[in-house]
Amino acid sequence: MAKVLIEFFSEKTNENLLSILNERYEKVCFLYSPEQCAPNQVKQNALISLVKKLFGFEPEFYEIKSLSIGAALASLHKLWRDGNHYSIDITGGDEAFIAAAGLFSSQRGTEHVSIHQYDVVSGKKRLCYPSAEENERFFPHYISAETLLALNGSVPLQKPASYNFSRGVLKTEILRLWEAVKTKPKEWNRFCALDRAPDENDHPLNQKEL
């Protein structure tokens, strides 16, 4: 019997990671709705890489045609295979997905379908149906900075940014700055007032009304 995780893809990275970092699965499925949040290519590739590293297989992504209970329930039934156990993570899930998960569990039977939710802050389960037992954490797994950036849809710089501090470039910047001081003195003074460190004269009781 394969243990299958069904996860509703969330734009919040930590909500997508809690189940896969805390339990062991033989299959991982992410459901998403373009109406709410669809994984971009960077995030999807990062999740694929992470799940493959942890479990040795790639997760699957399924689109829910519309953000409704009926569409979400239909998508869950399409994933059904006799003999598997389905663990549905509703952490960060949309209301329609949560309602569909409850219906799916009642229709297929709680011996085949369980529902759980994690507390994002503590990383522990705060809801587990039908069993209230806490699953044992088998991963104290750490994610690299590069992976975390990718899971958030960002790409780390391959090379540090370089700046040109040559004499000619600095001279050009100084001349541009001098031109700004001459042509827009009021704006320049206002900028300098914002940029300087506060002192005791900045206290409201010491300021005079203009």
Side-chain angles (χ1 to χ4, degrees), residues 8-10 15 36 89-94 98 117-118 120 126:
F8 188 80
F9 182 82
S10 171
E15 293 177 350
Q36 187 180 47
D89 183 1
I90 61 172
T91 308
D94 180 84
I98 295 174
Q117 184 180 49
Y118 279 92
V120 178
R126 62 181 178 188

Side-chain angles (χ1 to χ4, degrees), residues 69-208:
I69 296 174
L73 183 59
S75 296
L76 290 171
H77 281 298
K78 286 180 181 178
L79 297 177
W80 175 264
R81 299 292 184 274
D82 289 338
N84 289 342
H85 178 83
Y86 293 85
S87 181
I88 304 177
D89 183 1
I90 61 172
T91 308
D94 180 84
E95 291 178 355
F97 176 73
I98 295 174
L103 290 171
F104 183 68
S105 176
S106 65
Q107 292 172 3
R108 293 295 186 176
T110 54
E111 68 272 22
H112 302 297
V113 180
S114 62
I115 299 171
H116 64 267
Q117 184 180 49
Y118 279 92
D119 181 277
V120 178
V121 177
S122 68
K124 296 182 178 181
K125 282 183 179 178
R126 62 181 178 188
L127 180 150
C128 189
Y129 177 82
S131 173
E133 295 179 4
E134 175 88 17
N135 281 348
E136 190 178 325
R137 284 180 74 116
F138 76 98
F139 278 134
H141 192 83
Y142 299 95
I143 301 174
S144 67
E146 290 80 6
T147 299
L148 189 59
L149 283 170
L151 288 167
N152 282 280
S154 180
V155 179
L157 292 172
Q158 298 301 315
K159 296 180 180 179
S162 60
Y163 300 93
N164 187 347
F165 291 110
S166 66
R167 189 181 186 90
V169 171
L170 289 174
K171 181 179 178 181
T172 300
E173 291 300 315
I174 291 170
L175 290 174
R176 290 175 58 191
L177 185 61
W178 173 241
E179 190 64 27
V181 174
K182 287 194 302 181
T183 58
K184 298 184 181 295
K186 290 184 179 180
E187 288 77 1
W188 176 254
N189 290 337
R190 188 180 298 113
F191 170 77
C192 291
L194 291 171
D195 191 52
R196 69 178 175 81
D199 57 33
E200 60 182 9
N201 294 324
D202 291 324
H203 193 283
L205 294 178
N206 295 330
Q207 292 177 357
K208 296 180 180 180

Side-chain angles (χ1 to χ4, degrees), residues 5-23:
L5 170 66
I6 300 177
E7 180 100 29
F8 188 80
F9 182 82
S10 171
E11 61 182 4
K12 296 179 181 178
T13 300
N14 54 348
E15 293 177 350
N16 296 324
L17 299 179
L18 286 167
S19 285
I20 62 176
L21 292 179
N22 280 281
E23 299 179 42

Side-chain angles (χ1 to χ4, degrees), residues 19-35:
S19 285
I20 62 176
L21 292 179
N22 280 281
E23 299 179 42
R24 194 180 295 278
Y25 297 97
E26 284 73 50
K27 186 175 182 179
V28 176
C29 303
F30 284 96
L31 298 182
Y32 68 91
S33 169
E35 297 177 26

Side-chain angles (χ1 to χ4, degrees), residues 38-75:
N40 62 37
Q41 199 60 51
V42 174
K43 287 186 177 183
Q44 184 168 327
N45 289 342
L47 277 171
I48 290 172
S49 177
L50 180 61
V51 172
K52 190 172 183 178
K53 178 182 179 181
L54 297 179
F55 303 123
F57 59 84
E58 295 185 0
E60 299 174 3
F61 294 82
Y62 297 92
E63 179 181 332
I64 301 175
K65 296 301 181 183
S66 64
L67 199 57
S68 65
I69 296 174
L73 183 59
S75 296

